[in-house]
Amino acid sequence: MINRVILIGRLTKDSELKYTSSGAAVGSFNLAVNRQFTNANGDREADFINCVIWRKSAENFANFTKKGSLVGIDGRLQTRNYENKQGQRVYVTEVVVDNFSLLEKRASDNSNENQTQAGSNQTQSKPIDPFAGKGQAVDIADDELPF
């Protein structure tokens, strides 16, 4: 059986990081994922997916993301239930995140990079483009090929 979920979306708010009584970090967040089609008004709707992430990954996720961050997540779908204060059974479906990827630079990363480049007096040389021939034939002997 297969239970795999891969999503790309934006955080609707900062990740909420908590710790269990045994000290394990757990983060929860909501991911807005655009639908592939538009509605009758021509607007693109989004689904808001509940996600949970555990341990060191939860701490890293909370430290490196914020509201609006574009992230990719990989995990599994899980349904759990509990009884609320009114005695009703409540069912929760969420993605348990195994891996995540940050899909854009943080704003502070760009400013640091610009400051570093502005303060540097070193000359930077461009790497040689091995595909600069623009489709022209290359004169090379068979014994010079690496394969």
Side-chain angles (χ1 to χ4, degrees):
M1 289 179 244
I2 299 173
N3 182 355
R4 238 33 247 152
V5 176
I6 299 171
L7 299 171
I8 295 176
R10 293 195 180 273
L11 295 181
T12 61
K13 62 181 180 176
D14 291 350
S15 176
E16 185 178 328
L17 184 64
K18 295 180 180 178
Y19 291 87
T20 65
S21 57
S22 63
V26 59
S28 59
F29 59 95
N30 202 278
L31 197 64
V33 179
N34 286 341
R35 293 184 178 171
Q36 294 296 318
F37 51 88
T38 57
N39 62 16
N41 297 330
D43 298 324
R44 189 170 302 271
E45 295 179 359
D47 292 303
F48 298 91
I49 314 293
N50 294 323
C51 303
V52 63
I53 188 168
W54 289 88
R55 298 176 188 77
K56 188 65 176 171
S57 294
E59 293 174 329
N60 288 337
F61 192 86
N63 288 333
F64 292 107
T65 62
K66 62 181 177 72
K67 178 181 177 178
S69 294
L70 182 66
V71 297
I73 62 165
D74 172 24
R76 62 186 168 82
L77 200 58
Q78 176 178 283
T79 301
R80 59 185 171 87
N81 63 74
Y82 63 93
E83 196 171 298
N84 67 11
K85 293 178 182 177
Q86 292 79 25
Q88 298 171 323
R89 179 75 47 203
V90 177
Y91 292 88
V92 178
T93 301
E94 59 200 358
V95 175
V96 179
V97 178
D98 294 326
N99 298 300
F100 70 91
S101 295
L102 307 175
L103 300 178
E104 61 188 0
K105 287 187 173 182
R106 294 180 359 179
S108 61
D109 289 347
N110 292 336
S111 62
N112 289 341
E113 184 178 305
N114 292 339
Q115 290 172 355
T116 303
Q117 288 177 355
S120 175
N121 291 333
Q122 297 176 350
T123 59
Q124 296 181 354
S125 61
K126 282 188 163 183
I128 297 171
D129 184 4
F131 304 105
K134 299 186 183 188
Q136 298 173 356
V138 177
D139 185 28
I140 190 166
D142 287 344
D143 61 341
E144 295 176 354
L145 293 174
F147 48 87

